[in-house]
Amino acid sequence: MRQFILDITDSLCGKEIKYILKTNFCFSAAMITRLKNGGGIFLNGERVFVNKLVSVGDRLSIILPESSSQGIVPNNIPLDILHEDEDLLAVNKPYNMPTHPSHGHFEGTLANAVCYYYKDAPFTFRAVTRLDRETSGVVLIAKNAYACARLSEQLRAKELYKEYLAICVGTVYEKSGRISAPIRREHNGIIKRCISQDGKPAVSDYTIIDEANGLSLARLVPRTGRTHQLRLHMVHIGIPILGDSLYGIAENRRLFLHCRKLNFIHPINSEKIEIIAPVPHDMDIRKI
């Protein structure tokens, strides 16, 4: 259970708590409603309503209610933890592991593993960033609803930077550039997407950082967040990602796509955070 404390100064004297929650904490209307219903607002140790006026020297305490994820079975699966603090958890997800349980696949996911890690306390699994089952690398998880909401705002504002590495089949003349190719769901399809002029805007930046054995090692930065965006965009420029059985050439290999880096602003203390996942050993194009 997360608690925030604010000592009231002259600038907030005479303000309603609701105003402070909106301006100082940037709580949404939905979050304020949760706090009201959960009784998590205290002034000088006494439970109060959001219309209460504050005075200089008062101490405002906010306690975020928390409950456990419903329907997620805790699985004792080791986690490769890259960062952890009171509000965030970042892990290096291996390939061939789904982020969330799905129909017919209720266990063995990252969510199952994280729920086991926090099995001794109320915990709701909130993945701020998500990776396909076949993709490895950094997944960022918020440990409370407030942190999740603030990070989701960064995602929507395109202020959360994500960087991937991919091994691609073939080479290209232009070693860096921007790919702008709209994406939509395939007609009558559930999983597959396609590039189409009537799709939603999708933009990715790429840089080729090495070439060997007819392969290219590419640094990829998605500027939008469409499903399968990087996989489709690399096919679009003629160098599909190695192991992509859905859009490219599988060659009986796994998908060589790895989320290497996340940069963002910490949702509570506003510090700049950089999280880097080590590159898997099998992503050396000179040994493939």
Side-chain angles (χ1 to χ4, degrees):
M1 192 168 291
R2 186 66 160 96
Q3 180 176 8
F4 302 100
I5 296 176
L6 178 66
D7 292 319
I8 303 303
T9 58
D10 289 339
S11 62
L12 295 175
C13 182
K15 302 293 186 182
E16 286 188 347
I17 290 175
K18 185 176 182 179
Y19 171 86
I20 296 172
L21 294 178
K22 288 182 176 180
T23 57
N24 287 63
F25 291 97
C26 299
F27 281 175
S28 65
M31 181 68 69
I32 293 173
T33 299
R34 286 189 63 191
L35 288 171
K36 290 192 296 184
N37 294 339
I41 305 170
F42 296 84
L43 192 65
N44 303 321
E46 296 184 4
R47 188 169 292 166
V48 293
F49 296 105
V50 293
N51 60 353
K52 176 76 174 179
L53 303 181
V54 300
S55 302
V56 174
D58 284 344
R59 170 161 287 191
L60 178 63
S61 300
I62 307 300
I63 299 177
L64 298 181
E66 191 60 274
S67 58
S68 295
S69 292
Q70 299 297 313
I72 298 181
V73 180
N75 289 165
N76 187 4
I77 302 171
L79 291 172
D80 182 3
I81 296 175
L82 303 171
H83 174 92
E84 184 176 14
D85 59 38
E86 195 170 0
D87 302 286
L88 305 176
L89 176 72
V91 300
N92 184 16
K93 186 186 82 66
Y95 68 88
N96 201 32
M97 172 185 276
T99 301
H100 291 90
S102 59
H103 180 69
H105 199 127
F106 299 108
E107 299 190 41
T109 73
L110 182 62
N112 298 113
V114 173
C115 285
Y116 183 88
Y117 183 68
Y118 292 118
K119 66 183 185 302
D120 295 327
F123 176 79
T124 298
F125 182 76
R126 301 180 179 92
V128 178
T129 61
R130 306 177 185 184
L131 297 178
D132 294 338
R133 174 177 182 158
E134 302 94 335
T135 305
S136 61
V138 185
V139 175
L140 181 62
I141 298 152
K143 294 168 67 173
N144 57 70
Y146 178 55
C148 185
R150 298 298 302 276
L151 288 167
S152 295
E153 290 173 1
Q154 291 187 48
L155 269 177
R156 286 191 293 271
K158 299 180 176 57
E159 296 170 349
L160 194 154
Y161 173 88
K162 293 185 283 186
E163 181 182 295
Y164 292 73
L165 288 179
I167 295 179
C168 302
V169 180
T171 60
V172 287
Y173 177 76
E174 296 289 343
K175 303 307 178 186
S176 64
R178 171 161 288 189
I179 307 165
S180 181
I183 293 173
R184 65 163 172 80
R185 189 189 302 271
E186 279 198 349
H187 293 307
N188 303 319
I190 297 175
I191 297 175
K192 290 191 72 173
R193 268 61 175 175
C194 64
I195 290 176
S196 175
Q197 290 306 309
D198 61 352
K200 295 181 179 179
V203 179
S204 305
D205 292 334
Y206 76 93
T207 302
I208 305 301
I209 57 179
D210 197 7
E211 295 176 342
N213 302 322
L215 303 171
S216 297
L217 179 63
R219 180 188 300 117
L220 307 176
V221 179
R223 299 302 181 181
T224 53
R226 308 302 175 200
T227 299
H228 298 168
Q229 174 176 315
L230 296 177
R231 297 163 71 173
L232 283 164
H233 277 177
M234 299 318 286
V235 171
H236 185 64
I237 65 171
I239 50 171
I241 297 175
L242 182 63
D244 190 348
S245 60
L246 200 58
Y247 301 107
I249 304 170
E251 295 189 356
N252 296 316
R253 298 175 184 268
R254 64 120 167 163
L255 179 71
F256 283 85
L257 180 61
H258 177 71
C259 183
R260 178 180 174 272
K261 182 191 296 186
L262 292 183
N263 287 346
F264 57 93
I265 302 299
H266 195 285
I268 308 302
N269 58 33
S270 298
E271 292 182 357
K272 293 182 178 179
I273 303 292
E274 180 175 86
I275 299 174
I276 296 177
V279 180
H281 297 300
D282 62 352
M283 287 193 70
D284 184 345
I285 65 172
R286 299 182 183 280
K287 295 181 180 180
I288 293 179

